[in-house]
Amino acid sequence: DTAVSQTPKYLVTQMGNDKSIKCEQNLGHDTMYWYKQDSKKFLKIMFSYNNKELIINETVPNRFSPKSPDKAHLNLHINSLELGDSAVYFCASSQEGYSGGFSYNEQFFGPGTRLTVL
Amino acid sequence: GQNIDQPTEMTATEGAIVQINCTYQTSGFNGLFWYQQHAGEAPTFLSYNVLDGLEEKGRFSSFLSRSKGYSYLLLKELQMKDSASYLCAVRDSNYQLIWGAGTKLIIKP
């Protein structure tokens, strides 16, 4: 049973194209995320989304847009792809948990999509 | 600005103990996480600290000092499968996770 799944796993495309990456979680979580992990391995949050609120990292170009048809899905659309968009994109989901009276959210990551822009 | 610092790479011997440090400067603090990421795979959750002190979970322990902006992950009885990157992440005042670049741990026989 895959908790968080992404498709495709690999995506190779030309500069200027438009592409989408799909993400689905079957954990019943309220919140989903998109991360970009570049060649230096920094994980950068791009978006976090639940059924109430979309939080956008202000450094993300508006060529990137999340689309959520329902609570279990958060797809990522990228327009006019650029060379610098090449990276691994991770989808994740989380649910608020509690430990010792404090809340936290453990994030569950998908397997990642390696995007290469030529 | 917000910053998470970890060593880039560490090497240790199978069966030994290794400590991976993390220092942070963030706008607010709502907990610190450690994740493990094997090469080519997704990060997986290891631990969460929000109060000062040591949290032990099997061979792995995580320590937090909020006054010093400091945490470490302690791995005991190292196994070859522990070769991975270890990511430190802090949840800030907006409950957003700020991630470090990770520490690549190499285990030698």
Side-chain angles (χ1 to χ4, degrees), chain A residues 4-61:
Chain A
V4 182
S5 59
Q6 294 178 230
T7 53
K9 189 167 175 63
Y10 299 96
L11 182 55
V12 181
T13 188
Q14 300 287 331
M15 248 181 6
N17 284 350
D18 303 336
K19 290 293 179 184
S20 294
I21 307 173
K22 295 185 177 180
C23 177
E24 177 181 1
Q25 55 98 0
N26 61 8
L27 298 167
H29 287 170
D30 292 330
T31 307
M32 296 183 72
Y33 310 81
W34 275 106
Y35 285 92
K36 178 181 180 181
Q37 190 173 42
D38 60 22
S39 58
K40 295 183 179 179
K41 304 303 180 186
F42 271 106
L43 260 177
K44 294 182 180 176
I45 182 74
M46 301 177 72
F47 306 100
S48 64
Y49 184 83
N50 63 22
N51 55 9
K52 300 174 186 176
E53 189 178 13
L54 171 66
I55 300 174
I56 301 172
N57 183 327
E58 60 188 13
T59 67
V60 175

Side-chain angles (χ1 to χ4, degrees), chain B residues 9-76:
Chain B
E9 187 174 296
M10 298 181 72
T11 303
T13 305
E14 191 176 15
I17 299 174
V18 71
Q19 177 175 311
I20 302 174
N21 296 325
C22 170
T23 57
Y24 62 89
Q25 299 95 36
T26 56
S27 54
F29 178 84
N30 282 295
L32 184 143
F33 297 78
W34 284 96
Y35 279 76
Q36 181 189 59
Q37 186 177 23
H38 284 100
E41 297 183 11
T44 55
F45 172 81
L46 287 178
S47 68
Y48 171 75
N49 293 69
V50 68
L51 298 177
D52 291 348
L54 190 67
E55 294 280 343
E56 296 187 75
K57 194 185 285 188
R59 295 189 298 113
F60 292 9
S61 303
S62 55
F63 171 83
L64 174 67
S65 169
R66 288 171 296 170
S67 62
K68 295 182 179 178
Y70 167 70
S71 173
Y72 67 72
L73 181 69
L74 191 70
L75 291 77
K76 301 176 184 176

